């Protein structure tokens, strides 16, 4: 089950759409937020998170999540918004169970399918309401003793049929203004 879950996550994030789901990183509706000038390579700063958050379609923010590579955690733990000369509010904080985290009050989920720190896709603001997924017939399992009969071995096979893609083909432009919004926002890899 863990390997099937890994393959689904990887397809939803990185899928090409050819014989597999169309991933959020290859979607035409994905928006890439620009990095802050001079922030440093392989870094994530508070202004990046704010820039990504404001580009999520407002009606989908309620169910949005942050997907991130575990390599980014040291950067995420250092994010805060100053509220005075000696205090501030943490952006990335543990939940009450201490095993899960939130980023700006939304669930933050580490997944292996995200790119490593400093690469586009290392952190993704994602509203699942903007992604359509379907599965068929659940997980099917098969066993055969015939394939490796001479070696006294059984062969096992599992099948899980799954497909998905974002609802939108392109980012949406605001009714008033020229800002675009999407259910998928990444951070540019150009961080210098």
């Amino acid at each position: 089950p863990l390997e099937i879950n890994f393959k689904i996550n990887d397809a939803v994030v990185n899928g090409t759409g050819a014989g597999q789901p169309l991933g959020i990183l290859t979607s035409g509706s994905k928006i890439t937020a620009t990095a802050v000038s001079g922030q440093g390579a392989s870094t994530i700063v508070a202004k990046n998170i704010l820039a990504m958050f404001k580009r999520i379609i407002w009606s989908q923010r309620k169910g949005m999540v942050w997907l991130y590579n575990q390599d980014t955690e040291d950067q995420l733990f250092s994010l805060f918004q100053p509220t005075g000369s000696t205090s501030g509010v943490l952006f990335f904080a543990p939940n009450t169970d201490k095993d899960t985290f939130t980023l700006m009050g939304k669930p933050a989920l580490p997944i292996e399918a995200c790119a490593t720190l400093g690469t586009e896709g290392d952190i993704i603001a994602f509203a699942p309401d903007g992604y359509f997924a379907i599965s068929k017939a659940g997980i099917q399992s098969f066993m055969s003793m015939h394939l490796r009969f001479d070696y006294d071995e059984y062969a096992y096979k599992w099948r899980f049929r799954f497909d998905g893609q974002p609802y939108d083909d392109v980012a949406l432009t605001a009714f008033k203004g020229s800002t675009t919004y999407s259910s998928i926002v990444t951070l540019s890899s150009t961080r210098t």
Side-chain angles (χ1 to χ4, degrees):
L2 293 176
E3 186 62 24
I4 291 171
N5 191 45
F6 168 79
K7 296 298 272 183
I8 292 169
N9 286 341
D10 188 50
V12 168
V13 173
N14 300 302
T16 63
Q20 58 184 277
L22 179 62
I24 58 180
L25 291 180
T26 54
S27 168
S29 65
K30 175 191 75 173
I31 293 174
T32 303
T34 57
V36 177
S37 178
Q39 77 176 62
S42 298
T43 61
I44 299 172
V45 297
K47 286 186 177 183
N48 299 146
I49 301 302
L50 294 172
M52 293 172 71
F53 182 79
K54 78 176 190 177
R55 303 289 292 277
I56 291 288
I57 298 171
W58 72 268
S59 62
Q60 296 178 353
R61 284 185 183 170
K62 182 177 182 179
M64 77 168 279
V65 296
W66 295 90
L67 307 176
Y68 68 92
N69 185 303
Q70 203 166 339
D71 290 348
T72 66
E73 284 183 341
D74 58 340
Q75 296 293 309
L76 297 176
F77 276 116
S78 67
L79 299 177
F80 72 97
Q81 181 70 41
T83 57
S85 61
T86 60
S87 62
V89 176
L90 290 175
F91 277 39
F92 188 70
N95 283 327
T96 54
D97 63 10
K98 307 289 190 250
D99 290 330
T100 59
F101 295 91
T102 59
L103 182 56
M104 289 189 59
K106 302 296 181 185
L109 310 170
I111 63 170
E112 291 180 85
C114 286
T116 191
L117 178 62
T119 309
E120 183 180 359
D122 56 357
I123 184 164
I124 304 166
F126 175 53
D129 288 349
Y131 193 86
F132 179 75
I134 189 169
S135 63
K136 182 177 180 181
I139 298 174
Q140 298 171 313
S141 61
F142 305 92
M143 179 185 74
S144 172
M145 62 178 255
H146 305 293
L147 182 66
R148 303 272 298 176
F149 179 78
D150 293 345
Y151 298 96
D152 293 330
E153 293 178 358
Y154 288 92
Y156 297 92
K157 177 173 86 170
W158 290 270
R159 180 185 304 147
F160 183 70
R161 297 177 70 179
F162 177 85
D163 201 4
Q165 69 180 40
Y167 280 111
D168 299 318
D169 293 338
V170 296
L172 306 176
T173 303
F175 174 63
K176 295 190 178 189
S178 59
T179 304
T180 55
Y181 299 95
S182 179
S183 57
I184 307 158
V185 182
T186 62
L187 178 59
S188 172
S189 61
T190 308
R191 303 173 209 170
T192 57

